Amino acid sequence: MKYVDTEKYISMLKEVVEEGHEASMLISGSSMAPFLCHQRDTIVFGQPNRELRVGDIVFYRRPGGQYVVHRICRVCGDSYDIIGDNQTEIEHGVPREQIFGLVTRVKRKGKWLRPGDFWWEFFARVWVRMIPLRPTAVRLYGVFGKGR
């Protein structure tokens, strides 16, 4: 595997998206588990072409420069509260200007998913409302769900 500078790579992807195309990227990090897993799953994203809503997965840049792919858990006028699927701490007040991508589909466990598919909707509608229960749900999945 070849490693590239994150800033240069994502800047190039942003340019592609700003030109009206979609871009894809292998997920790095664990903040979107269990929906998306590090070095296993791929996202496809484009420029947001509609109003963003609860459950959307967005690509944004924090003021400190870090690029993040997380899910909207609350719309607050012209800003958003955002959280990773593997987190319990909400990032409040992310302005719309920081969001440059809307995830339109993912390749999860080798299968393409998009809005309307069961697991997409589960995480967008149910999991996003289970923030305090997430650690327990993940532990239960680890005990009962794997291997089944």
Side-chain angles (χ1 to χ4, degrees), residues 38-39 46 56 67 74 76 86 91 97 99 116 118 140-141:
H38 174 71
Q39 298 294 310
D56 284 342
Y67 290 99
R74 187 174 305 118
C76 309
N86 194 27
E91 187 170 349
E97 304 82 58
I99 298 170
F118 176 81
L140 288 172
Y141 176 75

Side-chain angles (χ1 to χ4, degrees), residues 3-145:
Y3 291 91
V4 296
D5 179 76
T6 302
E7 177 68 34
K8 288 179 184 175
Y9 179 62
I10 296 180
S11 292
M12 179 192 69
L13 294 178
K14 280 178 64 176
E15 284 181 30
V16 167
V17 166
E18 288 168 357
E19 292 172 0
H21 305 286
E22 288 188 319
S24 66
M25 187 178 95
L26 185 67
I27 285 294
S28 179
S30 62
S31 67
M32 284 299 288
F35 185 57
L36 301 172
C37 291
H38 174 71
Q39 298 294 310
R40 182 193 74 186
D41 300 328
T42 300
I43 62 169
V44 175
F45 63 97
Q47 223 173 11
N49 57 0
R50 60 168 173 74
E51 290 293 316
L52 298 174
R53 55 185 175 252
V54 171
D56 284 342
I57 302 170
V58 293
F59 206 162
Y60 63 104
R61 188 171 188 183
R62 289 181 173 146
Q66 183 182 20
Y67 290 99
V68 182
V69 175
H70 281 170
R71 191 180 302 278
I72 295 174
C73 63
R74 187 174 305 118
V75 177
C76 309
D78 52 357
S79 70
Y80 303 89
D81 289 351
I82 300 179
I83 189 168
D85 287 348
N86 194 27
Q87 299 178 322
T88 56
E89 294 295 320
I90 297 169
E91 187 170 349
H92 296 282
V94 175
R96 174 65 182 85
E97 304 82 58
Q98 286 178 227
I99 298 170
F100 61 87
L102 172 64
V103 176
T104 57
R105 61 190 179 279
V106 301
K107 189 172 189 180
R108 180 180 189 262
K109 297 182 179 181
K111 295 176 80 175
W112 285 103
L113 300 176
R114 59 185 67 238
D117 291 329
F118 176 81
W119 286 114
W120 187 290
E121 295 301 321
F122 173 79
F123 282 94
R125 296 174 188 262
V126 178
W127 192 255
V128 77
R129 290 174 173 82
M130 293 178 52
I131 295 168
L133 303 174
R134 287 177 177 182
T136 302
V138 169
R139 279 194 299 278
L140 288 172
Y141 176 75
V143 171
F144 298 109

